[in-house]
Each structure stands twice: as C-alpha cells, then as structure tokens.
Amino acid sequence: MRTGFPKAAPGMRIGLLGGSFDPAHEGHAHITRAALKGFGLDRVWWLVSPGNPLKPEGPAPMARRIAAAERIMHHPRVTITDIEARLGTRYTAATLGQLRTLYPGVHFVWLMGADNLMTFHRWDRWEWILQNVPVGVLARPGQGVAARRSRAAIAFARYQVPATHSRALALRDTPAWCFLNVPLVHISSSDIRARGEW
C-alpha cells in the first residue's frame, strides 16, 4: 500500500464518510459511531476533501480541518485521512473508482447524512455510485421525510435495503442502499461557522 494511505485487508467492511469537515463536530462523530454499529463495519474512514464542488467557497486549509477532526473523533476503528488530496480526485465517483482498484476485496460502503441524499442527484455520476457501491444513509435533523422523497431515493427505491438488514449492507450486491434512523444531534458545520466559532 502507498505511503500515507490507510491500511485495509481483503474482506474488511469499511465505511467512507466524505466531506469538507469545515469544521468537524460531534454530529460527525455521532453518525460515525452509529454507522460502525448499524452497518456492521470494521472501520470508518473520514475522507477530508480538498473542497466540495457544489459549494462556491473553498474550505479552511486541509491541515487545520484534519487537526480539528482528530480532536473530535477518538475511536480506534476510525481513520482521518486526506486520501482524496493524495489521489488527486475531486468527485466522489472518481475517488470510489480508485479506492476499489487500490483495495481489491475490500467491501466499501459510502456513508452520507440524509441531507446529502436530497441533493445526491446533483453529484457527478451519482447513478454510478449507487450502482457500484452500497450506500448507507443516516438520519439528520429535519431531513428524514424529504430525503426519502428525493430524486435519488425514488429512482433507486426498489434497491432500498430494510433497516432490519442494515448490518449486512457492505456485502450486498449493488445497487443497494439503506436508510438508518439514529438519535439526532442538532449541530452543523454551517451553524458553527455562522457563530464565528471556526
């Protein structure tokens, strides 16, 4: 494995939580712990992105965001990584394509909050993502009903895995996605920035 890249063995179930983490907060840590348990994952990698193509303004410097993420997320099965910057990828589909090549035999699950599911159809090659990698969706405050009515959720409705089978999501044939209700934490990066705390 390349220097600076997380280690993973074939057969492992690894959740990928991507985002700007600008800044990381307890809500991110909360859904990560819920994903580890709810989706039966061996590890979760936080993919701290160079920037979000759907956001007009760039995030804080990468080193600052990673340092903040490491202060928030303390778990032996969670890795904070700048792997997208190392790969030179800008879009999730491209990142997933390279990770599947770099880590043969690893069962990846793309993790997202329900708020992201509502705009998922705007992501580059969003249908490819759903067709090739299981997707675990975690409830976010006030987003549950709208997320279930999103364009992506409707388009792939017949591939939704019942929450009762969520722990096997990583091993499902794709397309496969699962909506997991978890206790909600009412905090967001945008609120933190708006309060001038970042």
Side-chain angles (χ1 to χ4, degrees):
M1 183 47 52
R2 298 184 193 177
T3 302
F5 281 56
K7 294 180 180 178
M12 290 183 71
R13 308 177 191 190
I14 297 181
L16 303 171
L17 183 65
S20 301
F21 296 98
D22 189 32
H25 52 71
E26 178 52 36
H28 294 125
H30 172 69
I31 65 170
T32 298
R33 292 188 294 266
L36 278 165
K37 181 178 179 182
F39 295 125
L41 302 173
D42 298 306
R43 302 277 191 278
V44 169
W45 296 351
W46 282 16
L47 308 186
V48 182
S49 67
N52 184 337
L54 296 180
K55 292 183 179 179
E57 295 182 13
M62 175 74 76
R64 183 181 178 207
R65 289 182 286 132
I66 286 179
E70 290 172 342
R71 286 193 298 272
I72 288 288
M73 187 74 249
H74 301 285
H75 197 291
R77 290 160 48 203
V78 178
T79 300
I80 314 298
T81 176
D82 62 351
I83 199 169
E84 284 190 304
R86 293 175 183 271
L87 291 172
T89 53
R90 182 168 169 80
Y91 296 100
T92 298
T95 299
L96 291 172
Q98 290 207 39
L99 289 178
R100 280 156 44 102
T101 299
L102 286 169
Y103 295 91
V106 171
H107 302 286
F108 288 113
V109 174
W110 182 256
L111 303 172
M112 68 168 73
D115 53 332
N116 282 319
L117 184 60
M118 295 192 323
T119 58
F120 194 50
H121 63 279
R122 295 171 53 200
W123 291 28
D124 182 64
R125 297 165 60 207
W126 67 275
E127 291 171 308
W128 180 93
I129 297 171
L130 278 163
Q131 288 163 355
N132 288 275
V133 180
V135 174
V137 182
L138 297 120
R140 289 290 303 274
Q143 307 290 348
V145 174
R148 293 173 194 268
R149 295 178 181 164
S150 68
R151 179 174 166 185
I154 291 170
F156 284 79
R158 69 181 181 275
Y159 302 110
Q160 184 174 1
V161 175
T164 52
H165 296 134
S166 64
R167 290 185 59 81
L169 180 64
L171 304 180
R172 301 283 295 223
D173 290 335
T174 52
W177 67 282
C178 183
F179 191 100
L180 196 64
N181 281 308
V182 297
L184 302 181
V185 174
H186 294 266
I187 186 171
S188 73
S189 297
S190 55
D191 289 344
I192 293 171
R193 293 194 303 271
R195 293 195 300 267
E197 297 174 8
W198 175 242

